[in-house]
Amino acid sequence: MTTIGFIGLGRMGLPMARNLAKAGHVVRAFDKASAAIDTAKEAGLPTVASAGHAADSAEVVITMLPAGHDTLAVYETAGVLKQARPGTLFIDCSTIDVVSARRAHALAATAGMRSLDAPVSGGVAGAEAGTLTFMIGGEEAAFAAARGVLEAMGKRIVHCGGPGAGQIAKMCNQMMVATNMAVIAEAFVLAEKLGLSHKALFEVVSTSSGGSWALSNYVPVPGLVATSAANHDFAPGFTTELMVKDLKIFQEAAREASSASPVGAVATALYELFLSAGNKGRDYSAIIEMIRGGRHG
Ligand code: NAD
């Protein structure tokens, strides 16, 4: 049994924290939004009054926040690193840029803490079922110390390398799924226009060479796959703004490394356009509506 400060109780953080409590860990939960605190209380999680309080008696501090500046703000400005006991293990599960992730590791090390970057894939469904995939960056000893806690939230836990390595794997995954979703949308819209049913296209492609995770689990049309956001008018799931954030992280990293990313650049522009057309808060797979030229395009 481990005492865990959990900061960031959004769509992902709340079910992850619940799984930790279910596994017998002591969770001290905090979010800056009072609505998230209320939901956590309703879910039976013990909540605390500040991020610092989540950390002050914890052996492990987990953050699940939107972006790099949020993780750094919690580590620095909110005083979490100051209030934690030396040797506390910090695990940042947020998807953030590599520069911020490495800065977070450096801040933790300077404060005498151990740390990991540990972004996840598997979405809200994976967070609820405790079947997330964790991509870990950090020292081997910190990874070994984290394993028991991570196993309460995920099924597959991959140590990718040193500080920032988990975030490198994650941004690559995000660029691949975003571009994949856009091309699935293009194919389904053309099929509609030519009179081919969604069902027929899905049945063929899901077992053919054009198949993918996005198609089999998240196809952007209703009625084919239970886990698709299209079944409930694209309520997220994974918001378009988070996808744009992740695509920009990839583009920035590609620029810095002088690595070509022409397809990723087009996908970034496409999702940014979709976001600015009034689609904040909607699932990224709703991009099909813009391709179709419908009401949100
Ligand atoms: P979310 O917006 O639902 O939740 C983020 C939570 O962090 C919010 O409740 C917010 O109030 C809280 N927060 C922000 N700043 C804070 C601060 N300074 N102190 C305390 N709380 C603060 O986002 P989410 O969908 O849960 O995603 C979280 C992270 O996980 C993101 O980096 C995202 O890219 C990544 N992710 C999300 C999914 C998904 O399917 N939603 C899947 C994989 C990874």
Side-chain angles (χ1 to χ4, degrees):
M1 190 186 78
T2 304
T3 301
I4 301 167
F6 202 110
I7 303 167
L9 306 167
R11 273 179 287 275
M12 295 293 288
L14 179 66
M16 290 165 72
R18 287 182 66 176
N19 281 332
L20 289 169
K22 227 187 277 171
H25 299 296
V26 175
V27 176
R28 295 165 60 78
F30 176 73
D31 194 291
K32 72 174 184 183
S34 56
I37 289 279
D38 291 345
T39 313
K41 279 185 181 151
E42 280 161 26
L45 281 179
T47 59
V48 292
S50 71
H53 279 105
D56 61 14
S57 61
E59 298 158 272
V60 172
V61 174
I62 298 179
T63 38
M64 191 49 165
L65 303 163
H69 56 84
D70 301 307
T71 296
L72 293 175
V74 164
Y75 278 26
E76 285 187 293
T77 321
V80 166
L81 284 173
K82 265 205 193 103
Q83 280 180 250
R85 295 180 301 204
T88 299
L89 175 58
F90 278 72
I91 306 175
D92 184 30
C93 295
S94 327
T95 303
I96 69 174
D97 60 283
V98 180
V99 173
S100 298
R102 289 185 172 151
R103 169 123 184 96
H105 277 282
L107 287 168
T110 304
M113 310 296 171
R114 298 173 294 165
S115 62
L116 295 172
D117 51 290
V120 303
S121 71
V124 174
E128 283 168 355
T131 56
L132 293 169
T133 294
F134 282 90
M135 301 151 236
I136 311 290
E139 303 305 328
E140 184 64 48
F143 174 65
R147 193 173 257 290
V149 164
L150 298 176
E151 278 170 355
M153 301 180 286
K155 269 230 148 54
R156 202 166 141 66
I157 299 160
V158 183
H159 189 200
C160 298
Q167 297 295 354
I168 297 169
K170 177 66 182 174
M171 73 176 163
C172 291
N173 180 75
Q174 293 306 92
M175 192 279 283
M176 290 162 80
V177 74
T179 50
N180 194 219
M181 184 57 74
V183 296
I184 291 170
E186 286 186 16
F188 271 75
V189 169
L190 179 60
E192 281 167 12
K193 292 192 172 162
L194 298 181
L196 181 67
S197 74
H198 293 157
K199 188 166 179 291
L201 182 59
F202 181 81
E203 275 185 12
V204 171
V205 181
S206 59
T207 53
S208 297
S209 50
S212 63
W213 180 93
L215 182 80
S216 298
N217 297 276
Y218 223 64
V219 63
V221 294
L224 293 176
V225 168
T227 44
S228 167
N231 294 334
H232 32 82
D233 198 23
F234 299 104
F238 190 71
T239 62
T240 303
E241 55 269 35
L242 284 178
M243 187 57 92
V244 167
K245 173 204 64 159
D246 293 352
L247 285 164
K248 285 180 167 172
I249 287 173
F250 187 96
Q251 285 303 300
E252 182 59 28
R255 241 188 317 276
E256 277 169 17
S258 298
S259 187
S261 177
V263 178
V266 170
T268 307
L270 205 59
Y271 282 96
E272 277 190 290
L273 190 63
F274 181 64
L275 181 60
S276 66
N279 290 298
K280 189 163 188 278
R282 301 187 76 220
D283 195 83
Y284 76 103
S285 60
I287 192 87
I288 193 169
E289 292 181 347
M290 189 169 81
I291 307 286
R292 197 183 274 128
R295 67 190 162 106
H296 295 285

